Structure formats: structure tokens, C-alpha cells
């Protein structure tokens, strides 16, 4: 059984993860816009219906970030739903943009976000042991 103090720490950690995640998403959006990767045109319904990882068969990676990843993460945050337990978006960005120096800032942002999610999950698991 969790003590009140342990519960309080876990609750605080969970609340903070939503706040920090939203900050990361805002920064990601700003970086996509600064890099001229933000689109004003919504992809077609069929492109959005892709079931391939990262919708790689119908969307560019930046489109997937803008039209799939950011909105889904925002919805999870707004509704205080559980965030992914293991997220690995940065490796895809590294693969796609490996030779594009101007995209490295976005990759670094995604690495930090992946790490944030991983660290948050470790912290919650560690508190669950007590």
C-alpha cells in the first residue's frame, strides 16, 4: 500500500509530466514552423487513415508529426489520459533526417521528449515498488 507521501510524489510527477510534455509539443511546433516544415494543408482522409508506422506510406515525417503525433499527444494531455509508456520517435527522425543539418534541432527536441517519457515511466515504476 502506498503511503500518502509516496502517493503525493507519484501524483505530482504525473501532473508535471503533462505540463512538461505540453511545453515540448509547443517547442516542437515552433521548430517545425521555423524550419518551414509546417503545412497549411491538411492531408487527405485516405493519407490520414494509414496504418503503417509513422504513416510512412502516405505522409512525410513532418506531416506525421504535425497531423498525427502532436494532436494525439495534445489530446492525451488535455484529457489527462495515460501517456505512452515507451516512445521512440527520435530514432525515426534521426533515420529520415540524418544528413540534414537544419533538422538537428528538431531531432534533439524529439530525443528529449522520448527521454522525458522514459524517465517518467521509470519514476512511477520505482514508486510503485514502495
Amino acid at each position: 500500500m502506498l503511503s500518502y507521501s509516496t502517493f503525493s510524489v507519484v501524483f505530482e510527477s504525473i501532473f508535471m509530466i503533462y505540463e512538461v510534455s505540453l511545453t515540448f509539443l509547443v517547442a516542437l511546433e515552433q521548430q517545425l514552423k521555423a524550419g518551414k516544415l509546417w503545412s497549411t494543408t491538411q492531408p487527405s482522409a485516405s493519407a490520414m487513415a494509414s496504418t503503417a508506422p509513422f504513416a510512412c506510406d502516405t505522409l512525410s515525417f513532418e506531416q506525421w508529426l504535425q497531423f498525427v503525433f502532436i494532436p494525439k499527444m495534445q489530446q492525451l494531455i488535455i484529457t489527462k489520459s495515460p501517456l505512452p509508456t515507451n516512445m521512440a520517435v527520435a530514432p525515426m527522425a534521426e533515420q529520415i533526417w540524418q544528413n540534414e543539418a537544419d533538422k538537428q534541432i528538431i531531432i534533439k527536441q524529439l530525443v528529449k521528449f522520448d527521454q522525458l517519457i522514459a524517465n517518467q515511466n521509470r519514476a512511477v515504476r520505482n514508486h510503485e515498488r514502495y
Side-chain angles (χ1 to χ4, degrees):
M1 178 169 217
L2 287 176
S3 69
Y4 176 77
S5 62
T6 302
F7 174 78
S8 177
V9 168
V10 171
F11 181 77
E12 225 174 276
S13 295
I14 292 170
F15 181 74
M16 285 180 53
I17 193 72
Y18 289 118
E19 224 174 279
V20 175
S21 294
L22 193 54
T23 301
F24 272 96
L25 293 174
V26 168
L28 178 59
E29 180 177 333
Q30 290 171 342
Q31 291 165 349
L32 289 168
K33 287 178 178 176
K36 306 217 182 314
L37 300 171
W38 196 260
S39 178
T40 56
T41 307
Q42 175 86 21
S44 69
S46 61
M48 293 293 290
S50 171
T51 58
F54 304 99
C56 63
D57 58 340
T58 59
L59 301 176
S60 66
F61 185 66
E62 56 268 21
Q63 287 176 312
W64 179 83
L65 288 170
Q66 178 181 350
F67 294 106
V68 178
F69 178 71
I70 292 174
K72 282 187 178 184
M73 291 300 295
Q74 287 173 330
Q75 186 62 31
L76 292 174
I77 292 166
I78 290 166
T79 60
K80 302 290 188 260
S81 298
L83 297 179
T85 56
N86 188 18
M87 195 168 75
V89 177
M92 184 65 167
E94 290 167 340
Q95 176 68 31
I96 290 174
W97 294 330
Q98 63 187 332
N99 297 320
E100 298 185 47
D102 61 324
K103 310 257 185 353
Q104 297 308 304
I105 191 166
I106 299 170
I107 293 171
K108 287 178 184 174
Q109 185 71 17
L110 292 170
V111 166
K112 288 179 187 176
F113 200 29
D114 284 351
Q115 290 171 344
L116 173 74
I117 295 297
N119 291 339
Q120 173 259 329
N121 287 319
R122 272 188 227 107
V124 169
R125 282 193 307 272
N126 287 339
H127 284 293
E128 286 174 348
R129 286 189 221 152
Y130 298 104

